[in-house]
Amino acid sequence: MKALLADNQNKTPKMVLSDYPEPTPRPGELLVQIHATALNRADLLQKQGKYPPPEGASPLLGLEMAGEVLETGEGVRSFQPGDRVFGLLPGGGYAQRCTLPASIALPLPESFTFTEGAAIAEAFITSWQSLVWLGGLNRNETVLIHGGASGVGSAAIQIASRLYECRVLTTAGSEEKRSFCRGLGADLAVDYQTTDFAEVLIGEIGEKEVQLVLDIAGASHWNRNLRLLGMDGRLVLLSLLGGAKVEKMNLVPILAKRLAIRGTTLRNRSDLYKAELVQDFYTHCKDALASGTLHPVIDSEYNWREVEQAHKRMEENRNIGKILLTGMADEPV
């Protein structure tokens, strides 16, 4: 089969289309013909050699996909060849075919295209884990979601506002992105680049009014996040785009307000954890997906031979929602 391989031997890493061994499904697994995969920032790090895959995972980039089941491994009863599926991957999405445990795959709703299906898994399942499993989201709470125009941010805004009827606050770097977030259900969308988002939000809603923060920035937002959180507030940290080290950290707010702080990654979780998370998400959200109450936000679609242009768009932070790669099923195997 064909796959996109990361060539990071030079100063400027690039993706190269090459021949690659086709995976074989083990017991409990599916072999899937990939029709679409979505970009994630982890792809850019792995391309640079800075984010190695978990032990035993495919070394190829690509953390989610949608496609058609070609073959089932021993013991699989939940799917059969010809079924349309989507799901998370620990790696392997930048290829024509992949394998994944049947327990982690999900049936693609009839109304969804493969492109739409590939845009669901990482964004919505990460958001469900962060908001509900780790953040303990309750109805009618006030939630601050950083990076609201990203794939995860756009999914989290929808889940919090539409399923949990929460007041949603978010940050984004341009008026176009802030308007987009408000259209998804955010009550307030604040510029984090040219204003102090904490001061702006306190001016709008008051101090210590936030129950849950989903943060992708880390150090740059740390003190302001703690200032905004109220008693028994929760902070879930998803990435460190704004730095990893907080200078002169003040621990008093954590004790005084009984704050709970969780950090998480999803890629290196066990298959059992992922299976339970995926099934919980689908049980609670499948009807909302089918009805359109929840929907993936697609920024752009590229043929997989144009992967460098797709990566550049993400690197420059120009996307609103998910960037998709398609066309792998059209190539000769």
Side-chain angles (χ1 to χ4, degrees), residues 267-288:
R267 185 182 190 184
N268 61 359
R269 298 277 191 175
S270 69
D271 286 346
L272 177 59
Y273 178 96
K274 290 178 183 177
E276 292 176 347
L277 173 63
V278 163
Q279 295 304 321
D280 187 61
F281 159 77
Y282 200 62
T283 296
H284 288 89
C285 297
K286 62 181 178 181
D287 291 341

Short mmCIF file of all heavy atoms in Angstrom, two decimals, residues 267-288:
data_model
loop_
_atom_site.label_atom_id
_atom_site.label_comp_id
_atom_site.label_asym_id
_atom_site.label_seq_id
_atom_site.Cartn_x
_atom_site.Cartn_y
_atom_site.Cartn_z
N ARG A 267 -3.67 9.79 23.35
CA ARG A 267 -3.01 8.86 22.44
C ARG A 267 -2.39 7.66 23.15
O ARG A 267 -2.45 6.54 22.67
CB ARG A 267 -1.93 9.61 21.65
CG ARG A 267 -1.25 8.77 20.57
CD ARG A 267 -0.17 9.56 19.87
NE ARG A 267 0.32 8.86 18.70
CZ ARG A 267 1.32 9.28 17.94
NH1 ARG A 267 1.93 10.42 18.25
NH2 ARG A 267 1.71 8.59 16.89
N ASN A 268 -1.78 7.89 24.31
CA ASN A 268 -1.07 6.81 25.00
C ASN A 268 -1.92 6.10 26.06
O ASN A 268 -1.39 5.35 26.88
CB ASN A 268 0.23 7.32 25.62
CG ASN A 268 0.00 8.41 26.66
OD1 ASN A 268 -1.14 8.81 26.91
ND2 ASN A 268 1.06 8.91 27.25
N ARG A 269 -3.22 6.33 26.05
CA ARG A 269 -4.11 5.58 26.95
C ARG A 269 -4.23 4.14 26.47
O ARG A 269 -4.01 3.82 25.30
CB ARG A 269 -5.50 6.22 26.97
CG ARG A 269 -5.54 7.65 27.49
CD ARG A 269 -5.59 7.70 28.98
NE ARG A 269 -5.88 9.05 29.46
CZ ARG A 269 -6.06 9.36 30.74
NH1 ARG A 269 -6.00 8.42 31.67
NH2 ARG A 269 -6.32 10.60 31.09
N SER A 270 -4.64 3.27 27.37
CA SER A 270 -4.79 1.85 27.02
C SER A 270 -5.98 1.65 26.10
O SER A 270 -6.91 2.47 26.06
CB SER A 270 -4.98 1.01 28.29
OG SER A 270 -6.25 1.29 28.88
N ASP A 271 -5.98 0.55 25.36
CA ASP A 271 -7.11 0.23 24.50
C ASP A 271 -8.39 0.08 25.31
O ASP A 271 -9.48 0.46 24.84
CB ASP A 271 -6.83 -1.05 23.71
CG ASP A 271 -5.83 -0.85 22.59
OD1 ASP A 271 -5.54 0.32 22.25
OD2 ASP A 271 -5.32 -1.86 22.05
N LEU A 272 -8.29 -0.46 26.51
CA LEU A 272 -9.47 -0.63 27.35
C LEU A 272 -10.05 0.73 27.73
O LEU A 272 -11.28 0.94 27.65
CB LEU A 272 -9.12 -1.42 28.61
CG LEU A 272 -10.27 -1.61 29.62
CD1 LEU A 272 -11.44 -2.34 28.98
CD2 LEU A 272 -9.77 -2.37 30.86
N TYR A 273 -9.19 1.65 28.14
CA TYR A 273 -9.66 3.00 28.50
C TYR A 273 -10.33 3.65 27.29
O TYR A 273 -11.43 4.23 27.39
CB TYR A 273 -8.48 3.85 28.97
CG TYR A 273 -8.84 5.28 29.32
CD1 TYR A 273 -9.10 5.64 30.64
CD2 TYR A 273 -8.90 6.27 28.34
CE1 TYR A 273 -9.43 6.96 30.97
CE2 TYR A 273 -9.23 7.59 28.66
CZ TYR A 273 -9.49 7.92 29.97
OH TYR A 273 -9.82 9.21 30.30
N LYS A 274 -9.67 3.58 26.13
CA LYS A 274 -10.22 4.20 24.93
C LYS A 274 -11.56 3.58 24.55
O LYS A 274 -12.50 4.29 24.16
CB LYS A 274 -9.24 4.06 23.77
CG LYS A 274 -7.99 4.91 23.92
CD LYS A 274 -7.05 4.67 22.74
CE LYS A 274 -5.76 5.44 22.89
NZ LYS A 274 -4.82 5.16 21.79
N ALA A 275 -11.64 2.26 24.68
CA ALA A 275 -12.90 1.58 24.33
C ALA A 275 -14.03 2.06 25.22
O ALA A 275 -15.15 2.35 24.74
CB ALA A 275 -12.74 0.07 24.43
N GLU A 276 -13.78 2.17 26.52
CA GLU A 276 -14.81 2.63 27.44
C GLU A 276 -15.19 4.08 27.17
O GLU A 276 -16.38 4.45 27.20
CB GLU A 276 -14.33 2.47 28.88
CG GLU A 276 -14.18 1.00 29.31
CD GLU A 276 -13.61 0.85 30.70
OE1 GLU A 276 -13.10 1.86 31.25
OE2 GLU A 276 -13.65 -0.27 31.24
N LEU A 277 -14.18 4.91 26.89
CA LEU A 277 -14.44 6.32 26.59
C LEU A 277 -15.24 6.47 25.30
O LEU A 277 -16.23 7.21 25.24
CB LEU A 277 -13.11 7.07 26.48
CG LEU A 277 -13.19 8.53 26.01
CD1 LEU A 277 -13.97 9.37 27.00
CD2 LEU A 277 -11.78 9.10 25.81
N VAL A 278 -14.82 5.76 24.26
CA VAL A 278 -15.48 5.85 22.96
C VAL A 278 -16.93 5.41 23.06
O VAL A 278 -17.84 6.07 22.52
CB VAL A 278 -14.71 4.99 21.93
CG1 VAL A 278 -15.56 4.72 20.70
CG2 VAL A 278 -13.41 5.68 21.53
N GLN A 279 -17.17 4.31 23.74
CA GLN A 279 -18.54 3.81 23.85
C GLN A 279 -19.40 4.75 24.69
O GLN A 279 -20.59 4.94 24.40
CB GLN A 279 -18.54 2.39 24.44
CG GLN A 279 -17.88 1.36 23.54
CD GLN A 279 -18.49 1.29 22.15
OE1 GLN A 279 -19.71 1.40 21.97
NE2 GLN A 279 -17.64 1.11 21.14
N ASP A 280 -18.83 5.34 25.73
CA ASP A 280 -19.59 6.29 26.54
C ASP A 280 -19.95 7.52 25.72
O ASP A 280 -21.09 8.01 25.76
CB ASP A 280 -18.77 6.69 27.78
CG ASP A 280 -19.57 7.55 28.75
OD1 ASP A 280 -20.60 7.06 29.26
OD2 ASP A 280 -19.19 8.71 28.99
N PHE A 281 -18.98 8.03 24.99
CA PHE A 281 -19.26 9.17 24.10
C PHE A 281 -20.37 8.83 23.12
O PHE A 281 -21.32 9.62 22.95
CB PHE A 281 -17.98 9.56 23.34
CG PHE A 281 -18.25 10.34 22.08
CD1 PHE A 281 -18.59 11.68 22.14
CD2 PHE A 281 -18.17 9.72 20.84
CE1 PHE A 281 -18.86 12.40 20.98
CE2 PHE A 281 -18.43 10.43 19.68
CZ PHE A 281 -18.78 11.77 19.75
N TYR A 282 -20.28 7.68 22.48
CA TYR A 282 -21.24 7.34 21.43
C TYR A 282 -22.63 7.11 22.02
O TYR A 282 -23.64 7.51 21.43
CB TYR A 282 -20.77 6.11 20.67
CG TYR A 282 -21.41 5.97 19.31
CD1 TYR A 282 -21.23 6.93 18.34
CD2 TYR A 282 -22.19 4.86 19.00
CE1 TYR A 282 -21.80 6.81 17.09
CE2 TYR A 282 -22.77 4.73 17.75
CZ TYR A 282 -22.58 5.71 16.80
OH TYR A 282 -23.16 5.58 15.57
N THR A 283 -22.70 6.49 23.19
CA THR A 283 -23.99 6.27 23.84
C THR A 283 -24.71 7.60 24.10
O THR A 283 -25.91 7.72 23.87
CB THR A 283 -23.80 5.52 25.16
OG1 THR A 283 -23.26 4.22 24.89
CG2 THR A 283 -25.11 5.37 25.91
N HIS A 284 -23.95 8.59 24.56
CA HIS A 284 -24.55 9.86 24.94
C HIS A 284 -24.71 10.83 23.77
O HIS A 284 -25.52 11.77 23.86
CB HIS A 284 -23.73 10.52 26.04
CG HIS A 284 -23.85 9.86 27.38
ND1 HIS A 284 -23.02 8.84 27.78
CD2 HIS A 284 -24.73 10.07 28.40
CE1 HIS A 284 -23.37 8.45 29.00
NE2 HIS A 284 -24.40 9.17 29.39
N CYS A 285 -23.95 10.64 22.71
CA CYS A 285 -23.91 11.66 21.65
C CYS A 285 -24.37 11.19 20.28
O CYS A 285 -24.49 12.02 19.36
CB CYS A 285 -22.49 12.22 21.54
SG CYS A 285 -21.90 13.07 23.02
N LYS A 286 -24.63 9.90 20.10
CA LYS A 286 -24.96 9.42 18.74
C LYS A 286 -26.24 10.07 18.21
O LYS A 286 -26.32 10.41 17.02
CB LYS A 286 -25.07 7.90 18.72
CG LYS A 286 -26.16 7.31 19.60
CD LYS A 286 -26.15 5.78 19.50
CE LYS A 286 -27.20 5.17 20.41
NZ LYS A 286 -27.18 3.68 20.34
N ASP A 287 -27.24 10.25 19.04
CA ASP A 287 -28.48 10.87 18.58
C ASP A 287 -28.25 12.33 18.21
O ASP A 287 -28.82 12.83 17.23
CB ASP A 287 -29.57 10.76 19.65
CG ASP A 287 -30.05 9.33 19.85
OD1 ASP A 287 -29.82 8.50 18.95
OD2 ASP A 287 -30.65 9.04 20.90
N ALA A 288 -27.44 13.01 19.00
CA ALA A 288 -27.14 14.41 18.72
C ALA A 288 -26.34 14.55 17.42
O ALA A 288 -26.53 15.50 16.66
CB ALA A 288 -26.37 15.04 19.88
#
